[in-house]
Amino acid sequence: MTALARWCLRRRIVVIVLWLAAFTGVAVAAGVTGAAYSNDYEVPGTESGRASALLDRAFPGQSGDSDSIVWHTDAGTVRSAAVRRTMTDTLEKIAELPGVAAVRSPYGKPGAHPSGGQNGRQISKDGHTAYASVLFGRSTDELDPAQVQKVVDTARRASGGGLQVELGGAGIALTEAPRAQLPEIIGLGAAAVVLFLAFGSLAATFLPIVTALAAVGTASAGITLLSHAMTVADFAPMLGMLIGLGVGIDYALFIVTRHRKGLRAGLPVDEAAVRAAAVSGRAVVFAGATVCIALLGMLILRLSFLNGVALAASLTVVLTVAAAVTLLPALLGLIGMRALSRRERRQLAERGPRPDRPTGIAARWSGFVERHPRLLGTVAAAMMLALALPAFGLHLGTSDQGNNPAGSTTRKAYDLLAGGGPGAGHGSGFGPGFNGPLTLVGTLDGAKDRIAFEKLPHRLRDTPGVAQVSAPDFNGSHSVGVITVVPTSSPQSRQTSDLVRHLRTDVLPAAGDASTLRVQVGGITAGYDDFASVIVGKLPLFIGVVIALGSVLLLLAFRSVGIPLKAALMNIAAVASSFGIVVAIFQWGWGSELLGLGSAGPIEPFLPVIMVSVLFGLSMDYQVFLVSRMYEEWQLTHNNCRAVRVGLAETSRVINSAAVIMIAVFGAFILSGDRTIAMFGIGLASAVALDAFVLRTLLVPALMHLLGGANWWLPSWLDRWLPRISIEPPPGPGTAVRLPGPQDGEKPLVGV
């Protein structure tokens, strides 16, 4: 690290130019190739996945995206001449728009009776609501948002005069894409304020932000290129940006803080930068490695959807670490003494260099924790347990457009179809299950199977929880049949999930007993239930592997059995408590509408895996920065009380500053307009807040005071066998630091 830092300082212009060239090159390549993100969360090998694959092969002409145009009127019915004329003209215009393959109107062909034939099913029983299906020529992943926006604009122009027109579907959702720039601007602005308050120097304030932006910008373009090589979820770029901005600014903060400390101690600019990069830079590399290990733990799940997320997020973290240890030293050398505020430079010139002393609130708090470890530890543990309680009611399932913000057109269309729109009365709409029908796909081998499949709708209509059943539809060779089942409950309801299980285990096997008929259940709810089942089944293995790898790293770094065990427990506590907050807001709906996050609903099945990875990695960061200073003091004095007190006093301020920055960055993503990203933002922000202000500055030091020298116990045979990893280099000559009110017999701390 020392050699790398010296090279970057000597060739600072070269380093800056190389980073600019890398960013420009990757950004241009990404702009030329475009993105190929996926929103397909199906798991191959599951029943719903097999049903979807079979349906695509048997009915290839239906592979395009189909969305809905919904209209509603309170006065009169949608069959009135005025409404029919307005919507027929509108649908004809939409049918001629680029990208639209077909429009299926409830009014049928000109001159047809609006309530007759198949199209009559597109009008609700009370006649106040109707919908038309818009079939796009491409799948959702390949749609041009500009073309979809023209469909939305054309349809919405028909609103007025008592007629409400809304649109829903996966394609229409592209026009309500997350506000990609607003969260970043707000998060960066908040981070800049915190950095300026901490540093008092504009130059020092912008260094962490510039470093993080260089890394995140390059990573974002790299993720775009990665999407062509493997499956990358559509939310992966924003998730990578969320993580990258948070850890990137924090990593740079730790190095800049150490650099400023060296300048105040009288070191030349280059030497202070080299020491900062060599000392704090090693901790940054170690912390970044733990984050990547936690993220790459998702690979053991062997789900292509999560593999892309893991690699995309890891790429972002790797580039933020690389920028922190290469670009940042070059920038530190470029700004020189301006890393200090004017007041600090003036004091340095007038009074000369002085060692930093941990005084003020940090030192007083450290002493307070030392005096009351049992009381404070009990309070902290009770707080974490109370916040974690909602997590025991976690419901993984479908989060659909019914959870969108109330003002969005997709949410309004969803409510109108379900019968929950404004002014809707009894019998309006098509029922809550209409927004997520189940698809039953049968493999037919001979006439006996076809007869059994044709009888299936009658059996299904008598099944509790089924509202409607369509007539069987067959492919050209009659080897595959399809039946659409509309549940009485919404797609995200537990009752719909119960219906899926009942169909699979009881109804369908009984229907095919006298034949070789095999029917598989697909659809939105079935797909998410299968996904959640796979995730839950593999979650214990995943958590065990991530905790084990992180614990091994801490064991090697701190030569202690107790430190990794406490870290594992603290990380689990942070994850559980943050999940409790996510459940309360998103699943129970506590303030979700007020925050513009839509209505209450289940938690996305992939959220636990991704959040466990990210939160475990971020929690390890603070553990490393806190305990490494305690470990250094323990090696010097072998006095546990002093080691814990000094470590907490000297690191709590920078950890808390870093946490405030990360909370601001993560919290800003609540404004993204995307429910999934908002879940990540709230979950990560709350976890970081609890980790920094409750666990690392309260519960961890309290436990370490109670355990005493046992914190650092390691069997002698294991000590001889383990390889040695040093997060920070051995302390060199420095200035002694003395905390106020030392205990008798304590040795002064040297070599800081």
Side-chain angles (χ1 to χ4, degrees), residues 6 17 59 68 201-202 211 231 260 309 326 334 357 361 378 382 415 450 470 539 549 557 559 577 711:
R6 291 194 186 281
V17 170
F59 300 92
S68 300
S201 164
L202 281 176
T211 304
T231 302
R260 284 164 44 82
V309 174
T326 58
L334 197 64
R357 298 179 184 274
I361 296 177
T378 302
D415 290 343
R450 285 193 289 273
S470 71
L539 198 57
L549 291 175
R559 323 295 296 179
S577 298
N711 288 304

Side-chain angles (χ1 to χ4, degrees), residues 720-731:
R720 291 191 299 270
W721 179 79
L722 288 176
R724 294 188 176 273
I725 295 178
S726 176
I727 295 180
E728 295 197 3

Side-chain angles (χ1 to χ4, degrees), residues 396-422:
L396 301 180
T398 310
S399 176
D400 52 33
Q401 293 181 348
N403 300 113
N404 288 356
S408 64
T409 187
T410 50
R411 167 70 179 277
K412 293 176 181 177
Y414 185 100
D415 290 343
L416 288 174
L417 288 173

Side-chain angles (χ1 to χ4, degrees), residues 47 438 487 494-506 508 521-522 525-527 529-530:
E47 182 171 332
L438 303 177
R494 291 182 187 269
Q495 287 84 353
T496 306
S497 297
D498 292 339
L499 175 62
V500 171
R501 285 191 292 271
H502 180 52
L503 291 176
R504 287 174 171 176
T505 57
D506 301 322
L508 297 179
V521 181
T525 302
D529 286 350
D530 289 343

Side-chain angles (χ1 to χ4, degrees), residues 85-398:
R85 182 170 55 254
T86 298
M87 292 311 304
T88 298
D89 292 344
T90 299
L91 296 178
E92 288 176 353
K93 293 176 182 177
I94 291 174
E96 297 174 356
L97 291 176
V100 177
V103 176
R104 296 168 183 166
S105 169
Y107 301 123
K109 297 179 180 180
H113 193 277
S115 61
Q118 179 73 18
N119 294 325
R121 298 176 182 175
Q122 295 174 234
I123 299 177
S124 63
K125 291 181 180 179
D126 65 357
H128 289 295
T129 306
Y131 74 93
S133 297
V134 179
L135 183 66
F136 289 101
R138 298 182 179 181
S139 63
T140 304
D141 293 341
E142 300 174 341
L143 281 177
D144 182 359
Q147 293 181 345
V148 180
Q149 186 63 53
K150 291 181 179 179
V151 173
V152 174
D153 294 340
T154 304
R156 295 298 295 273
R157 281 197 291 268
S159 295
L163 179 64
Q164 179 185 1
V165 181
E166 308 293 347
L167 298 93
I172 302 301
L174 296 176
T175 64
E176 298 177 339
R179 298 180 287 274
Q181 295 180 348
L182 181 61
E184 292 92 319
I185 294 173
I186 295 176
L188 290 175
V193 171
V194 176
L195 289 170
F196 184 75
L197 292 176
F199 295 153
S201 164
L202 281 176
T205 294
F206 286 110
L207 285 189
I209 294 177
V210 170
T211 304
L213 285 176
V216 171
T218 306
S220 181
I223 294 172
T224 301
L225 297 178
L226 183 66
S227 67
H228 293 277
M230 63 187 306
T231 302
V232 177
D234 51 3
F235 64 83
M238 189 167 285
L239 177 64
M241 191 173 299
L242 183 151
I243 298 171
L245 288 177
V247 302
I249 294 175
D250 272 13
Y251 291 165
L253 168 67
F254 290 123
I255 295 177
V256 173
T257 299
R258 178 76 70 151
H259 173 70
R260 284 164 44 82
K261 182 177 180 180
L263 292 179
R264 289 194 297 269
L267 294 177
V269 172
D270 284 7
E271 188 61 27
V274 168
R275 289 197 182 186
V279 177
S280 293
R282 290 165 66 133
V284 164
V285 171
F286 188 87
T290 61
V291 176
C292 288
I293 287 174
L295 289 169
L296 294 176
M298 286 189 277
L299 297 179
I300 68 172
L301 298 175
R302 305 183 69 178
L303 298 174
S304 59
F305 161 69
L306 291 178
N307 290 347
V309 174
L311 292 178
S314 298
L315 172 64
T316 306
V317 174
V318 167
L319 288 178
T320 58
V321 172
V325 298
T326 58
L327 178 60
L328 184 57
L331 295 174
L332 289 173
L334 197 64
I335 68 171
M337 293 297 295
R338 284 175 294 173
L340 298 178
S341 66
R342 292 182 180 179
R343 182 176 60 84
E344 290 172 322
R345 295 198 298 268
R346 185 172 59 253
Q347 289 178 349
L348 184 62
E350 294 173 353
R351 305 176 187 176
R354 291 188 176 188
D356 284 342
R357 298 179 184 274
T359 59
I361 296 177
R364 290 194 296 271
W365 175 256
S366 181
F368 181 70
V369 174
E370 182 182 8
R371 293 190 297 273
H372 308 284
R374 286 184 177 84
L375 174 62
L376 296 177
T378 302
V379 171
M383 182 187 304
M384 298 298 291
L385 178 61
L387 291 173
L389 288 178
F392 290 99
L394 177 67
H395 173 214
L396 301 180
T398 310

Side-chain angles (χ1 to χ4, degrees), residues 559-561 712-722 724:
R559 323 295 296 179
S560 163
V561 174
W712 315 102
W713 176 78
L714 183 71
S716 57
W717 63 268
L718 187 58
D719 187 42
R720 291 191 299 270
W721 179 79
L722 288 176
R724 294 188 176 273

